[in-house]
Amino acid sequence: MQDVFIGFTSITWKMLLMYGIGGILIWLAIKKEYEPMLLLPIGFGAILVNLPLSVVWEHAGADGFLKILYDMGIATELFPLLIFIAVGAMIDFGPLFKNPLMIFFGAAAQFGIFATIIIATLVGFDLKEAASIGIIGAADGPTSIFVANLFAPHLLGPISVAAYSYMSLVPLIQPPVIRALTTSHERRIHMTYHESNSPKWLKVLFPILVTMISGIVAPISVPLIGSLMFGNLIRESGVLERLSQTAQNELAYLVTLLLGITIGASMKAENFLTWKTGLIMGMGLVAFIFDTAGGVLFAKLINLFLPKGKKINPMIGACGISAFPMSGRIIQKMASEEEKGNIILMHAIGSNVSGQLGSVIAGGMVLALVPLIYVVAKF
Amino acid sequence: MDRIIEYFKSMGERAADGSLVHPFGTTIQALGVTAGGLLGVFFTLGVFFLLIQIANKISKKSE
């Protein structure tokens, strides 16, 4: 008789709370349209895995379908890398080639990653956990998942939720930070843009050389940067249009679907409902704020050395985060609100695609440096 | 703060067996990752910057 009611008797308050959290994520996806392709599957996955007996994860000694997906796609890092192929096929580096200076904002706006690593260690996390939390500031879901899975798989759930939630909240996070750090005069700076086509050989050679250089500087970053650049090479080759379209659409949608529900399945109540989750969510926000501040302040620094008439609109610096193309669009909207007819979109997009590169390189740096620091600390 | 200063002071101070008296603190390690990481990102993207600049110059010359 007890077996009949086992579903009712094994429910705990933590499970109920997780249904609420899953429900909120689904609500945000549907009602607010915050990253719906990810937050909806994550929310539903969180509900599934917290149902009594959790049969989707494991039952009677056999792996459930979500555990199989997790082992196959997350534990092996396969899903994030496949997503990167799709993202690479979506990126056009053309705006960056026309104004290469924008590439440095892709570096400056990674400041939040490193500032958050320091803060996380001060709060009490160990270095690997801190590095995984800091990488939320990459504003790049697959990189966050890749690093967290290697360094702190037990924190994968909250880190993924924080990364994707804050990416979707970029329109709310960035504008107040930018306004606090810039004057109205600075936000009205105009930037000229010359329409011209970049040579095809540069577009083809760029992903190959970027992969090789990154592979030499930080060999451990090759899976990340290699898959991103492979996708871009497919796009720019000009002879693989159907493959490029497949990567941008079918591959992206399919893997995103599986990635989302599998990440949701990592949110078991006993792992997710800890004080660490609250801290991770808080520090994720800090990372995004520092990213934005780092980019804007770096642009202001560069402006000190640029002649009048060549100054950069410092809002462009904020686009150096990887949230593409959302950040670029927000900055253009802010520029238009400040002064009608001020078009800085292409510069913003140039900075934004640099952020894609910068976040992956930063992820590679963290992957390389953390083990190195451990070795150094022993001597 | 005192702990951090102590770590800095103790860097290089070794016990009889050669091990550090105070191993690097986690925050000091994080500072190392931060410095190295930011330098690495700027350096790598700086190389890409040079690459694009050279390519743009070659492209302009050939035109």
Side-chain angles (χ1 to χ4, degrees):
Chain A
M1 191 63 183
Q2 202 179 0
D3 285 349
V4 176
F5 295 106
I6 195 163
F8 293 97
T9 54
S10 53
I11 284 184
T12 64
W13 68 268
K14 284 186 172 182
M15 288 172 169
L16 293 172
L17 194 54
M18 288 309 296
Y19 304 152
I21 290 171
I24 289 170
L25 292 176
I26 293 171
W27 179 78
L28 286 173
I30 296 170
K31 195 76 182 169
K32 299 280 180 184
E33 291 190 32
Y34 289 163
E35 294 278 341
M37 284 209 297
L38 279 151
L39 290 192
L40 191 143
I42 289 176
F44 195 69
I47 293 173
L48 277 180
V49 81
N50 286 294
L51 286 169
L53 304 184
S54 193
V55 284
V56 292
W57 191 256
E58 197 174 3
H59 185 59
D63 289 344
F65 85 100
L66 288 182
K67 173 86 164 46
I68 292 169
L69 280 177
Y70 186 91
D71 289 343
M72 191 187 73
I74 305 284
T76 61
E77 312 274 1
L78 187 64
F79 287 167
L81 296 179
L82 289 175
I83 291 273
F84 264 132
I85 294 176
V87 172
M90 293 175 198
I91 299 178
D92 176 11
F93 286 111
L96 175 64
F97 295 155
K98 295 199 190 90
N99 191 356
L101 192 63
M102 296 295 118
I103 204 162
F104 290 107
F105 298 126
Q110 308 309 320
F111 178 67
I113 295 176
F114 299 104
T116 309
I117 292 177
I118 294 172
I119 294 168
T121 59
L122 288 171
V123 172
F125 289 97
D126 70 37
L127 189 60
K128 285 187 172 179
E129 289 176 335
S132 306
I133 295 165
I135 220 73
I136 295 170
D140 182 341
T143 304
S144 301
I145 293 167
F146 194 91
V147 174
N149 191 47
L150 279 177
F151 284 166
H154 56 290
L155 300 180
L156 187 62
I159 286 173
S160 310
V161 171
Y164 284 114
S165 303
Y166 291 131
M167 274 164 64
S168 65
L169 291 174
V170 159
L172 300 178
I173 298 169
Q174 285 206 310
V177 180
I178 294 168
R179 285 197 191 97
L181 294 172
T182 54
T183 63
S184 175
H185 174 70
E186 286 172 325
R187 293 195 294 273
R188 286 201 304 268
I189 292 176
H190 285 240
M191 294 173 74
T192 50
Y193 184 77
H194 304 288
E195 196 59 57
S196 62
N197 283 329
S198 308
K200 189 181 172 185
W201 61 265
L202 173 58
K203 288 186 168 183
V204 172
L205 211 55
F206 188 70
I208 300 169
L209 289 176
V210 163
T211 308
M212 291 175 70
I213 292 165
S214 308
I216 293 164
V217 175
I220 202 161
S221 69
V222 169
L224 288 171
I225 198 87
S227 42
L228 187 75
M229 291 296 118
F230 173 58
N232 192 248
L233 183 61
I234 289 174
R235 173 198 176 97
E236 300 298 352
S237 68
V239 293
L240 295 171
E241 184 52 31
R242 275 187 286 184
L243 278 193
S244 171
Q245 288 302 323
T246 304
Q248 290 179 51
N249 297 292
E250 287 83 356
L251 180 69
Y253 294 135
L254 195 60
V255 182
T256 302
L257 181 96
L258 297 176
L259 182 79
I261 198 163
T262 315
I263 290 295
S266 70
M267 292 166 63
K268 274 191 159 185
E270 59 265 33
N271 300 332
F272 194 82
L273 295 177
T274 66
W275 60 272
K276 282 185 174 180
T277 299
L279 280 176
I280 289 167
M281 295 304 285
M283 281 186 287
L285 179 60
V286 168
F288 272 66
I289 290 170
F290 274 108
D291 278 345
T292 307
V296 171
L297 294 176
F298 187 70
K300 290 177 79 155
L301 179 71
I302 287 184
N303 273 347
L304 295 176
F305 304 99
L306 291 176
K308 213 176 177 186
K310 295 258 179 191
K311 302 266 188 212
I312 293 168
N313 189 318
M315 292 196 294
I316 296 285
C319 300
I321 69 165
S322 179
F324 173 85
M326 199 192 296
S327 185
R329 285 182 189 156
I330 291 157
I331 299 312
Q332 174 53 52
K333 191 169 167 253
M334 286 182 76
S336 300
E337 281 169 3
E338 208 66 44
E339 185 182 338
K340 267 194 176 177
N342 187 8
I343 307 294
I344 55 170
L345 181 66
M346 292 314 281
H347 297 287
I349 294 295
S351 173
N352 217 175
V353 294
S354 305
Q356 287 273 336
L357 278 178
S359 66
V360 178
I361 303 286
M365 287 296 157
V366 168
L367 286 175
L369 285 167
V370 169
L372 184 72
I373 289 281
Y374 273 123
V375 173
V376 171
K378 276 185 184 169
F379 290 102
Chain B
M1 191 64 191
D2 288 344
R3 277 182 64 200
I4 293 172
I5 292 167
E6 193 186 330
Y7 283 130
F8 272 115
K9 279 183 180 169
S10 67
M11 275 184 196
E13 190 184 333
R14 289 177 186 276
D17 63 351
S19 64
L20 281 170
V21 174
H22 298 285
F24 291 8
T26 312
T27 306
I28 301 292
Q29 294 171 6
L31 281 168
V33 173
T34 298
L38 279 172
L39 273 174
V41 177
F42 270 100
F43 171 77
T44 312
L45 293 186
V47 174
F48 299 163
F49 170 76
L50 288 176
L51 199 76
I52 298 169
Q53 288 285 55
I54 292 166
N56 281 341
K57 286 211 168 138
I58 293 170
S59 170
K60 268 184 192 166
K61 270 190 182 173
S62 64
E63 276 173 16

